[in-house]
Amino acid sequence: MLRHVLKHLQRGVEVSKPLVVGVQGPQGSGKTYLTKILRDELISPPNNLSVALISLDDLYLPYSELTRVANDHPHNPLLQGRGQPGTHDVPLGTRVLNSLCRINEPDAEGTVSIPIFDKSLHSGKGDRIEQTVVVNRPLDVLIMEGWCTGFSPIRSETIAQRYASSGSPRSPFAYRKEDVYEINELLRPYVDWWSAFDTLIQLSPSDTSSYDLVYKWRLEQEHCMKAQNGGKGMTDDQVISFVDRYIPGYVFFGDTIENGYADEHGQVVPPPWRGNALRILIGAEREVIGSVIF
């Protein structure tokens, strides 16, 4: 990861714009942990760079708004809690991301506040808190990580085909095609976020046909959080139900990271990082198996 980011820095970007790196990986795959290690390496000698991290998790709507979304879509189980596109604060995310991309410009404010979402609140449903992370210029590298980073809309007929042929043991069979169509449309404004990326790094299970690892990793993640905060969070059954809502995202939109997305006219548009992205293949214990540029 470090070599990949440094290589793109050496290629050169706009003088005022920080290098923007997207990081995607399934829940519990270690992306947050690895991005923090990457940040520490970038800010330490001999690199001595200024780095900011932003997580999609911190862009979730506050608890009250998540409740409103669930009530407004009572028949769509994918929107009954945080997770899928449609449960993030898109206007806030756009303002924060645009401000971070412009932070080095002479007429920019030079200080950007990143929100914080505490997943342990409300019995694990989570909520935004008052504290923020403040980023000051100059900023050399911005890393944006999340489980659906880079996921983009696909054609309606592709959704129908995947719904009919999916081999997932739990999802998407619990959901209607109409539910996935709704998520597909809610994904459209996220494409503007991804357009800021100069490159993307993906953590990918070596066996992408099985989603059992996502459940395993997310349970381990919840146990770790609860061990550190006095037991606040979800029960194991709640974690399993929670991950159930995410699986359709991988099934329907996961390959858009490599293959591109369908615009409003149904035309497939290649991702901006094509040919400059790094996929890191990992095993069941998150060990690195290999890597490939795509």
Side-chain angles (χ1 to χ4, degrees):
M1 292 177 71
L2 177 63
R3 287 197 300 269
H4 184 75
V5 171
L6 292 176
K7 178 181 69 174
H8 282 81
L9 277 170
Q10 290 168 358
R11 283 183 184 174
V13 294
E14 297 175 37
V15 173
S16 62
K17 179 179 176 290
L19 181 79
V20 184
V21 181
V23 176
Q24 187 275 329
Q27 299 155 285
S29 61
K31 60 187 176 297
T32 302
Y33 174 74
L34 287 177
T35 53
K36 289 179 179 177
I37 291 177
L38 175 61
R39 176 199 58 193
D40 291 346
E41 291 177 329
L42 288 169
I43 66 177
S44 300
N47 301 307
N48 299 317
L49 298 168
S50 174
V51 181
L53 301 181
I54 181 169
S55 171
L56 288 185
D57 290 352
D58 287 322
L59 296 177
Y60 282 129
L61 292 163
Y63 176 73
S64 60
E65 288 297 297
L66 290 172
T67 302
R68 180 190 59 77
V69 169
N71 292 337
D72 288 348
H73 302 85
H75 303 297
N76 190 338
L78 300 178
L79 293 173
Q80 301 305 303
R82 74 177 194 267
Q84 290 284 350
T87 63
H88 298 89
D89 191 332
V90 172
L92 173 64
T94 298
R95 291 196 301 273
V96 170
L97 185 58
N98 287 346
S99 296
L100 287 167
C101 287
R102 296 187 61 251
I103 193 170
N104 295 330
E105 296 179 7
D107 60 344
E109 205 165 299
T111 299
V112 179
S113 294
I114 299 176
I116 299 174
F117 190 92
D118 187 338
K119 299 178 186 177
S120 71
L121 299 176
H122 302 288
S123 300
K125 294 180 180 179
D127 202 355
R128 188 181 300 163
I129 61 176
E130 291 185 5
Q131 292 93 332
T132 62
V133 175
V134 177
V135 178
N136 297 303
R137 68 176 172 215
L139 180 62
D140 298 308
V141 180
L142 170 63
I143 303 173
M144 187 176 196
E145 61 93 359
W147 80 275
C148 64
T149 302
F151 285 15
S152 301
I154 58 177
R155 292 172 174 167
S156 296
E157 54 266 32
T158 305
I159 291 176
Q161 292 166 0
R162 291 184 181 178
Y163 188 87
S165 63
S166 173
S168 171
R170 293 187 176 92
S171 303
F173 299 129
Y175 312 110
R176 305 171 303 163
K177 280 183 292 186
E178 290 75 14
D179 299 331
V180 183
Y181 291 147
E182 188 165 28
I183 300 300
N184 196 52
E185 290 307 308
L186 290 169
L187 255 176
R188 294 203 177 278
Y190 291 67
V191 174
D192 290 337
W193 293 0
W194 318 148
S195 67
F197 293 173
D198 297 297
T199 185
L200 183 139
I201 299 171
Q202 180 184 38
L203 298 178
S204 178
S206 56
D207 181 4
T208 55
S209 64
S210 172
Y211 301 101
D212 290 342
L213 284 178
V214 181
Y215 290 88
K216 172 182 179 292
W217 290 339
R218 187 58 184 82
L219 281 165
E220 292 173 350
Q221 187 181 54
E222 193 74 9
H223 292 169
C224 180
M225 181 187 74
K226 290 167 68 174
Q228 296 173 352
N229 69 12
K232 293 186 296 180
M234 291 183 280
T235 66
D236 285 3
D237 287 343
Q238 287 173 328
V239 171
I240 290 170
S241 297
F242 177 74
V243 176
D244 281 343
R245 288 202 310 272
Y246 286 70
I247 299 300
Y250 303 120
V251 172
F252 293 99
F253 311 115
D255 68 340
T256 59
I257 285 180
E258 182 169 3
N259 298 333
Y261 68 96
D263 65 16
E264 293 180 350
H265 305 290
Q267 299 297 311
V268 177
V269 180
W273 49 80
R274 176 172 286 179
N276 293 316
L278 172 68
R279 177 176 295 122
I280 301 173
L281 300 174
I282 57 177
E285 302 305 320
R286 304 176 186 86
E287 72 278 16
V288 175
I289 295 174
S291 64
V292 63
I293 299 294
F294 67 97

